[in-house]
Amino acid sequence: MINPSLSALARRTGDSPISDLMARALACPDLISLAAGFVDNDTLPRERTHAAVATILKHPTEGNRALQYGTTRGDTSLRRILAELVAPSQNWSGDQIEALADRIIVTNGSQQLLYLVAESLLDPGDIVLVESPTYFVFLGLLQSRGARVIGVDIDEGGMRLDVLEQRLAEQEAAGQLDRVKLIYTITEHSNPSGLSLDADRRPALVRIAQEWSRSHRIYILEDAAYRGLHYEGPEPPTLWSHDHAGTTVIHARTFSKTFSPGLKVGFGILPTELLGPILALKGNHDFGSAHFSQQLMERVLKDGAYTAHVSGLRQIYRRKRDVLLDALAEHFAPWRGEVEWTHPQGGLYVWLTLPPDLDTGRDSAYFARCLEEGVLYVPGAYCFAGEPVAPPSHHARLTFGVTSPEGLREGVRRMAQALAQVRKTSGPILTPRLEVTAPTRT
Ligand SMILES: Cc1ncc(COP(=O)(O)O)c(C=O)c1O
């Protein structure tokens, strides 16, 4: 029974759909998890962090500062370093960097910024346009705020801008354009698709949001959580760098993926108009993110430990991505042409598309079979908005973040084995081809 004392917001807020999946993974050590979006344990920067902590605590002033409260907006010196890190050009003047640092807010992971943005912009019934598929945790957050969420198709180049304009036109025709508040896009190596927004779509996306901002501003939330984890050369300029007036794009970043999720340091660049409201809300949340973590990030950014760490991560994850892609090519070869997957240039995820008649949902025969085989994935249906069409249920999100290369190979083998089993028992609609080709990454 629902507790009648709960607020409407609490009643709208459910458990994360995958908390149960994660609990299963933890409870069963033999289960290979291709589901958990964790970073690789062996890469965690223990020594670099230890050295930074020792340096901070050795100096009484620095140590006391780190152990004291900070400000709601975040440490001034850290924000200046962050401005230098994200400045679109090395030639920016000191004044430009200062102005950018003034628009930066340090948050408790980027998740807090996503929450603050939703809290500051959305009333129940307001509309958010998201990629199909998108980050399911953000979908949960939007549901909790009571927002209406509408999907926009993607292709290899990320969000399809023709479909975005179509969705905006549909809302205009329905007299709902004034409820459209936000466009959410994961610009790099998306969770869950692994795909990025093409360079030439970036300025166009900013232009579209500005052109459709008629009675009020439609903001873009650029979630760049995986920026920096690139394995085939650097990413194109950010969306916010195309927002020359600084009015439209909210840029969300985190050090969770590129350094340590345990520190939970994120940050954002905000349009000036949103700075006051979001700081006021953050004041209510926590009046400032953990100061110790901020000082620690400041130190590793200053002394080069961060840059060295990220470059090591790229080597490790590139290799793991290749292992996962090779394993998919090898083990799903019997279903070539009917099972597809993305080939991410960075990040931690691969998006697997199984035959349309194969249900991958949590209550499906395939999911149950995978558990019996000892492998876990995230059912793709969690990653879609409920509109304009019902979520497809034949996808799976796989990650190569946390599992060892051997585990990745074996996990994929088990998923393919489960597919063969399910096809056998349900009367195969597909006939697996017998020839097995050499692994490729095409
Ligand atoms: C796309 C995306 N955005 C935001 C986050 C939030 O991460 P954090 O709060 O640790 O910065 C995650 C975490 O997995 C993510 O995948």
Side-chain angles (χ1 to χ4, degrees):
M1 199 188 68
I2 294 174
N3 178 348
S5 306
L6 289 180
S7 69
L9 181 116
R11 271 182 267 137
R12 281 194 303 263
T13 307
D15 268 350
S16 161
I18 69 158
S19 52
D20 161 55
L21 301 187
M22 298 308 152
R24 287 195 209 198
L26 288 174
C28 177
D30 293 335
L31 194 67
I32 295 177
S33 177
L34 302 179
F38 286 12
V39 300
D40 190 319
N41 271 317
D42 293 340
T43 65
L44 289 170
R46 274 197 317 277
E47 273 154 36
R48 296 184 206 281
T49 305
H50 187 264
V53 169
T55 313
I56 292 168
L57 294 181
K58 209 161 56 200
H59 299 286
T61 323
E62 206 180 331
N64 284 350
R65 203 160 76 93
L67 291 168
Q68 185 53 277
Y69 278 129
T71 59
T72 306
R73 183 188 283 256
D75 210 69
T76 310
S77 46
L78 173 61
R79 284 186 296 106
R80 200 172 194 292
I81 292 171
L82 296 176
E84 281 163 4
L85 183 79
V86 299
S89 155
Q90 304 253 316
N91 302 327
W92 268 31
S93 68
D95 284 353
Q96 283 174 300
I97 295 289
E98 285 306 330
L100 180 57
D102 282 347
R103 289 174 49 203
I104 289 180
I105 168 176
V106 182
T107 50
N108 189 29
S110 54
Q111 189 64 34
Q112 186 187 37
L113 183 60
L114 303 189
Y115 191 86
L116 286 166
V117 168
E119 195 175 32
S120 63
L121 296 181
L122 304 176
D123 288 316
D126 282 343
I127 296 172
V128 182
L129 297 163
V130 303
E131 283 148 0
S132 296
T134 189
Y135 174 42
F136 58 83
V137 179
F138 191 59
L139 287 177
L141 192 167
L142 294 175
Q143 177 188 329
S144 151
R145 304 281 342 150
R148 241 186 98 192
V149 191
I150 300 176
V152 178
D153 300 354
I154 63 162
D155 61 19
E156 285 288 312
M159 183 182 277
R160 278 185 49 190
L161 301 187
D162 57 331
V163 180
L164 173 67
E165 291 219 80
Q166 191 186 323
R167 297 279 171 273
L168 288 163
E170 284 160 7
Q171 293 315 311
E172 184 179 44
Q176 292 289 304
L177 189 59
D178 59 342
R179 302 304 303 264
V180 179
K181 295 285 189 66
L182 189 65
I183 300 166
Y184 173 66
T185 172
I186 304 159
T187 34
E188 275 87 38
H189 328 300
S190 167
N191 173 5
S193 74
L195 300 171
S196 302
L197 187 65
D198 268 356
D200 60 352
R201 291 191 197 178
R202 295 178 181 224
L205 174 53
V206 176
R207 248 192 334 269
I208 290 171
Q210 289 172 346
E211 279 166 15
W212 285 85
S213 293
R214 296 189 189 140
S215 62
H216 67 287
R217 186 159 311 282
I218 299 176
Y219 289 99
I220 301 174
L221 175 52
E222 175 184 28
D223 184 339
Y226 296 88
R227 194 170 174 89
L229 282 187
H230 52 77
Y231 316 136
E232 310 293 343
E235 298 99 347
T238 53
L239 264 188
W240 83 264
S241 69
H242 295 289
D243 178 18
H244 303 295
T247 54
T248 304
V249 179
I250 302 154
H251 180 71
R253 285 287 273 274
T254 177
F255 293 108
S256 287
K257 311 298 174 177
T258 52
F259 198 72
S260 160
L263 295 175
K264 229 24 203 178
V265 178
F267 69 99
I269 304 173
L270 301 180
T272 322
E273 280 179 347
L274 287 183
L275 204 53
I278 285 190
L279 281 172
L281 289 168
K282 181 164 164 67
N284 285 349
H285 282 224
D286 57 15
F287 49 88
S289 299
H291 205 199
F292 196 87
S293 289
Q294 293 187 53
Q295 296 294 297
L296 211 152
M297 273 320 300
E298 180 177 334
R299 182 137 288 282
V300 298
L301 284 162
K302 257 205 248 167
D303 68 12
Y306 174 75
T307 312
H309 183 69
V310 182
S311 102
L313 280 186
R314 287 189 200 116
Q315 314 295 326
I316 293 166
Y317 286 133
R318 178 188 296 117
R319 185 167 157 256
K320 291 178 74 173
R321 175 206 57 180
D322 289 348
V323 167
L324 183 64
L325 293 179
D326 285 348
L328 286 164
E330 181 182 344
H331 295 295
F332 282 93
W335 297 278
R336 205 161 4 105
E338 286 156 306
V339 176
E340 293 173 346
W341 52 89
T342 55
H343 295 77
Q345 310 256 304
L348 301 176
Y349 305 98
V350 170
W351 183 246
L352 182 66
T353 301
L354 289 141
D357 63 321
L358 186 101
D359 185 359
T360 58
R362 207 165 67 172
D363 299 323
S364 68
Y366 182 62
F367 189 77
R369 191 67 232 174
C370 281
L371 281 185
E372 276 164 40
E373 292 289 333
V375 62
L376 191 66
Y377 61 83
V378 172
Y382 293 138
C383 305
F384 291 91
E387 294 183 58
V389 290
S393 59
H394 61 292
H395 298 281
R397 188 198 76 172
L398 310 182
T399 174
F400 47 90
V402 72
T403 301
S404 69
E406 300 69 44
L408 293 173
R409 276 187 217 101
E410 177 58 16
V412 170
R413 193 196 64 73
R414 292 180 188 181
M415 283 186 74
Q417 170 86 359
L419 179 57
Q421 301 273 352
V422 168
R423 285 313 194 199
K424 219 187 305 168
T425 46
S426 66
I429 296 161
L430 302 164
T431 315
R433 296 193 196 115
L434 289 176
E435 85 275 20
V436 175
T437 51
T440 64
R441 272 200 295 284
T442 52

